[in-house]
Structures are given as C-alpha cells and as structure tokens.
Amino acid sequence: MPWTLPCCWILPSLDPDCCCVIPMPTPGMPSPVKALGQARPSAASMAPQARCCSPAALQRRLPILAWLPDYSVSWLKMDAIAGLSVGLTVIPQALAYAEVAALPPQYGLYSAFMGCFVYFFLGTSRDVTLGPTAIMSLLVSFYTFHEPAYAVLLAFLSGCIQLAMGFLRLGFLLDFISCPVIKGFTSAATVTIGFGQIKNLLGLQGIPRQFFLQVYHTFRNIGETRVGDAVLGLVCMVLLLVLKLMRNHVPPVHPEMPPGVRLSHALVWTATTARNALVVSFAALVAYSFEVTGYQPFVLTGQTAEGLPPVRLPPFSVTTANGTVSFTEMVQDMGAGLAVVPLMGLLESIAVAKSFASQNNYHVDANQELLAIGLTNVLGSLVSSYPVTGSFGRTAVNAQSGVCTPAGGLVTGVLVLLSLDYLTSLFYYIPKSALAAVIIMAVAPLFDAGIFGTLWRVKRLDLLPLCVTFLLCFWEVQYGILAGTLVSTLILLHSVARPKMQVSEGPVLVLQPASGLHFPAIESLREAILSRTLEASPPRCTVLDCTHVCSIDYTVVLGLGDLLGDFHRHGVTLAFVGLQVPVLRALLSADLKGIQYFSTLEEAEKYLSQEPGTQPYNISEDSVPEHKVALLKA
C-alpha cells in the first residue's frame, strides 16, 4: 500500500521578512501591490523584492511613498475637512485629558500634535489619529506623581521600548493579552476616569486621586457641591448627548438635494462633529460673561502657559525641594509603568488601527504601527509630550469625515500648534465642569456592559480573567492587567495540559486527542489510555488517532515509548493512525521499538482484529524506503 505524505510539509518555508503581505485594494488609499487575484510569486521571483533597499522594502518602512505619488485634489479636500474636524475635537479633549493625567492643561496640547506629523510618514492606516487618550492619561497619572518631568521622561522611555519591539518584531507579545483582560481593564478605567471627574463636575475641592479614597471623600463632601458648576456640567453633558444623537441620525447627502438642504446638512454635520469644541466654547463664553460682572460661580481652568513648547531633551533628572532626583531614581520611581504604559499604548493603538482597517477594507502592518507610535513618543518627549496612543473616538471622527490618507493629520497638527500660539490666553475661562462633561461623555462608550452577558453565553470561564482584571484595576492597574493575563494564561495552559479526548468504543478502542500533544499533556494522555485499556479486564488493543497532532516534543516521545512498553508487557498492541510528517520524523529519530503505524483507521482495526491481509508500517529506517527516509530527514 503506498505511503503518502501531505504536500504542504515538503514546501519550502519563507522568512516573514522576505514575503509580501498583499492588502485588499481600497478606493480611498492606493495600493502599491497587485490584486490578490493574481498568482502568488515563487520564492525565486520574490528574492529581489526582499532586499532591504528595494522599492517594496522602502515602501514598507515609509508608507507615504505608496500613496503620495497618486495624491489628488479631491483627496486634499476630504483630508482637509477630516483634519479640521479632528482638530476641533482634539483641542478640548487634550485640555481635559491633561486633567486626567494630573498635569497642567498645556501638556495635553503638547501631546496632541507630534503624532499627526509622524503618522503622516510612517502610518499604515488612513483613519488612525495619535494623541492623548483618556486611558493613557489615567496610566500616566498613576506613574508620574503629578510631576511633568516624570511624564515627559516616561514618554521617551516608552517610545524607546516601543521602537525596540517594532524592530525586533515583538508585536506578537500583545496576543497574550486576551480580549476579556482588555475589556476588564477598559471598563475599570472607564469607571475610574468617569468617577474621577465627578469632583470637577460638582466643583468639589480637596478630593484625593486614589479611587477608593476618591469615592469616600466625594460622597462625604457632596454637601459642598457648587450649584453653578453642577448646573453647567449637567447642561454640557446634555448638549453633548443631544449633538451626538443628532450626528448619528443625520441622513446622507444626495446630489439631487437642493442647495439649501445640502447647506443646512453641512452646518448640522459641522456642529455635531465639532460638538466638544462647540460646548466648551459655549461654557467659556458663559464663564467670561460672569467674569465681566464681577461674580464667578464656576471653577475655571486658570492660567495656561502661552506659546509653543521649547524643543529640548527630556529631563533625565529633576530638582525638587528635597534635592535632585537622578535618572536611576526616576526610573525606579516609575517602576512597572515602564512596562504597562508602552504595552497598553501599543495595544490600544493597534486595536484601533485593525478595527478601522477591517471596516474599511485595507491592511495594517502591526510592526510598522509599533515603529510609528514609538517614534511619536520619542520625538514627542522633545516637545514636552506625555505618552500617547491611538484614539478610538477621534479616529471614528476621522473616518466618518471621509479622510482619504494620513495627510489629514497635518491639518490637525497645524490647528493644535495655532491654538497653542494664539488661543492659550482664552483657555483661562474654560470651566472645569465643562471639561469634566467632555471626559465623561468621551469615556462612557468604553464601558461594555454587554460583554458580561456575551461571555456567559459563549464561554463562562472567560468571565474569570475579566472579573479579576476589572476588580484589581481599581487597586493598582498593573496588578489588574498582570493578574488577568496570568489567569488567561493558566486557562490556556490547562487546555494544553489536559486536551480533550474523543473515545470510540468498538472491537478496538480508538482514542483521538482533540488538539496537539505537548509535554504537559503526556501524563494526562497516559492515564486516559491506561485506565481504559490495560486496567480493563482483559486488556484491549488500542488505536491512537493522531490526526490533530502536528508536532511532538521529546517528553511526549518518552511518554509514548513508556506506553508502548506497557502494552508490550500486557501482550496487547498500541497502534498509531494519522501521523503527520513532523511526528513521524520525531518518532523515527527517537528509534522507538515496536511502534506500528497505519494509513487509515480501517486498516488498523482490521489488523488488530486479526484479519489477514493487512500489515502495519513499522517505523524504522530498515522498513521505510530509502527515498522516504530522506524525505523525513529533510
């Protein structure tokens, strides 16, 4: 009977650095590669493209070269509109997120423009916008002790770590953070950020930043609520909600609509898209009106440093009232933040990029995204930025505005720089309750209440890492993420160590592992086989169907050898079916005695039932034809 090998095992493997990822072509961004419908090039024809200095390699490192040659006036118009819309969104958000990060308001704007320019050259998503976000600002507040020097140094070090991960192609490490862990973290962060703004919404003073103390003191001091701040904050929240609902229900524009209808549609679309800027401007105007009368019922943002930030190296030491803190001491003070901040920044940014790439049918290079965000943080630290990442809310505004290329970020960056140079004096009159309303409405959608019901229906065990992460993040963020990831890993390892076994009773007992075999699973497999075969009376012949086993390690080989010995001592046979080439190669190299392999389960059952005419393949170099031995050893 012929012995055949799966053709996929004899194909040469390709280095991932040397092969081209072919994205789907999109109307918005030109694709530098050919359509997927064409035949895949051979390894020989791809060899010239794998050179580091080839045009394809240069386009992978500088994605701007892929779309800039085809840039058109129509794209410029759409990018300008999208960039303006995002700019009007990011300016009030940046001021608000600086409050979440426990930094002066200008640091939010310092962090809002560098990503626009870097992503123009290095970004692989036309929709993503890099800048300050609520979750990243919360993490910064945990590890920088309200000190801007720590925040800027954290941006520099986080960027270095992210760049190193990008160059070493370590983006796969983020795959070990499961979706329940991410959902648990973002939900806890949403509650922490949202409740943290209650004090500003109500005008309360002297509330600590630690979550549990914050809850206690907020309810304890609820009687000190300032009526002006509370009313203005609630009015701003209602306005933001109404404008958001209007934005979601604006009908699409059709060319046959009258000009007046299209003009009114454009005005409504502009007002609802720039709702944050509109509401904050309204609140600042109200506060200024009271200021003119000599009575101020609101807590204001106060003085904001004017002008563009100076370009300088990040601070590698800081002088305090107690002396100078060295670079080593600053790193020690930030501790786990040097791991949590860059990892969560990458996770948030890549998740946003992949989400919109999937919706809009184009490809995102995860490792290139690592380089883009890493360089943004490194260069941003030179202009006093704190760590940034991809913003889901502003990316959604960018996509809905019809952006065509990353060039829309240039308009956003310029708008932020203009606001720093000319508008900072006006930021004095922005009420903190209005900024609190902006933050609360921005983070509210991040809380996914439906995930609990979804996991209960899909896989209830996934609720464990979700709840562990959610609860511990209220204590310390790094402990919540670490504990949730550990629980997820243990669940994964348990499935590897205790694979499910399909058992078929008949003249011959057939056992089929439902997944691969690795060293933690061999004891479980041995106990399952022994309990059903050798411990039965009388002992039974058994077939081990390895159809789903694509590789084995040395510990598994030793365990199978022990099983073969046990069966031999009891006078029965353990036969193998469905061995794939890597498994055959491992068994051949181990030179196990008495192993018998059949091509099909029917052949194995006939042989073990003592039916004549069927012979097993004895796996040894003497019984395997020479050309097949050479193929196995290849």
Side-chain angles (χ1 to χ4, degrees), residues 252-599:
V253 178
H254 299 290
E256 61 273 11
M257 286 182 174
V261 175
R262 282 187 286 176
L263 177 61
S264 61
H265 180 281
L267 291 176
V268 172
W269 180 87
T270 302
T272 54
T273 300
R275 57 185 178 273
N276 289 325
L278 195 64
V279 169
V280 168
S281 300
F282 160 75
L285 185 61
V286 171
Y288 180 76
S289 301
F290 278 101
E291 187 80 10
V292 171
T293 64
Y295 171 71
Q296 188 55 264
F298 312 120
V299 178
L300 304 181
T301 298
Q303 192 65 38
T304 302
E306 297 184 13
L308 300 177
V311 179
R312 59 191 176 192
L313 291 174
F316 294 103
S317 64
V318 61
T319 302
T320 65
N322 298 325
T324 300
V325 181
S326 66
F327 172 73
T328 303
E329 292 172 326
M330 293 177 73
V331 170
Q332 291 174 347
D333 290 340
M334 288 185 284
L338 293 175
V340 173
V341 170
L343 285 178
M344 295 310 299
L346 293 176
L347 191 66
E348 187 175 1
S349 184
I350 292 177
V352 170
K354 288 187 175 181
S355 173
F356 281 87
S358 176
Q359 292 177 21
N360 298 322
N361 195 29
Y362 61 87
H363 173 74
V364 167
D365 184 346
N367 286 294
Q368 181 65 24
E369 292 294 305
L370 297 185
L371 297 178
I373 188 174
L375 189 60
T376 294
N377 280 322
V378 170
L379 296 180
S381 68
L382 303 180
V383 290
S384 303
S385 165
Y386 66 81
V388 300
T389 185
S391 167
F392 191 90
R394 295 193 297 275
T395 298
V397 171
N398 207 24
Q400 293 165 2
S401 302
V403 69
C404 296
T405 72
L410 295 181
V411 180
T412 302
V414 169
L415 199 61
V416 174
L417 291 175
L418 290 175
S419 69
L420 274 169
D421 212 16
Y422 298 105
L423 300 180
T424 46
S425 60
L426 302 179
F427 296 156
Y428 177 92
Y429 298 102
I430 297 177
K432 287 191 173 183
S433 58
L435 295 179
V438 169
I439 294 172
I440 292 173
M441 296 305 296
V443 301
L446 296 178
F447 187 87
D448 188 0
I451 189 63
F452 296 93
T454 301
L455 292 182
W456 181 264
R457 295 190 302 270
V458 175
K459 187 178 180 181
R460 296 176 183 178
L461 191 59
D462 280 341
L463 286 170
L464 184 58
L466 172 73
C467 295
V468 167
T469 305
F470 180 76
L471 295 175
L472 288 182
C473 277
F474 290 117
W475 175 35
E476 289 286 351
V477 171
Q478 65 269 26
Y479 296 152
I481 297 173
L482 182 62
T485 303
L486 180 61
V487 171
S488 294
T489 305
L490 290 176
I491 294 174
L492 174 64
L493 291 177
H494 183 268
S495 64
V496 172
R498 297 294 181 268
K500 293 183 178 180
M501 195 81 61
Q502 296 180 6
V503 181
S504 301
E505 297 283 352
V508 175
L509 184 67
V510 180
L511 291 94
Q512 183 186 61
S515 59
L517 284 180
H518 303 281
F519 65 91
I522 189 60
E523 285 302 319
S524 172
L525 175 67
R526 185 175 180 182
E527 290 176 5
I529 293 177
L530 293 179
S531 63
R532 289 178 171 87
T533 58
L534 302 187
E535 295 177 4
S537 182
R540 306 173 63 186
C541 292
T542 304
V543 175
L544 185 60
D545 188 347
C546 298
T547 304
H548 300 302
V549 180
C550 59
S551 65
I552 56 176
D553 52 51
Y554 181 64
T555 305
V556 173
V557 171
L558 290 181
L560 293 178
D562 292 340
L563 271 176
L564 289 170
D566 291 337
F567 272 77
H568 180 71
R569 284 190 293 272
H570 284 78
V572 288
T573 303
L574 174 63
F576 292 83
V577 169
L579 291 177
Q580 299 185 35
V581 170
V583 181
L584 283 170
R585 183 183 294 120
L587 296 177
L588 176 63
S589 301
D591 196 22
L592 297 182
K593 304 299 182 183
I595 185 170
Q596 295 181 334
Y597 164 63
F598 295 87
S599 296

Side-chain angles (χ1 to χ4, degrees), residues 219-263:
F219 285 106
R220 181 181 179 183
N221 299 335
I222 197 74
E224 301 175 10
T225 298
R226 295 169 61 100
V227 176
D229 284 300
V231 171
L232 181 64
L234 292 176
V235 168
C236 288
M237 289 181 65
V238 171
L239 287 175
L240 288 169
L241 180 60
V242 170
L243 290 172
K244 182 179 180 181
L245 294 175
M246 288 177 61
R247 176 71 176 84
N248 295 336
H249 292 85
V250 172
V253 178
H254 299 290
E256 61 273 11
M257 286 182 174
V261 175
R262 282 187 286 176
L263 177 61

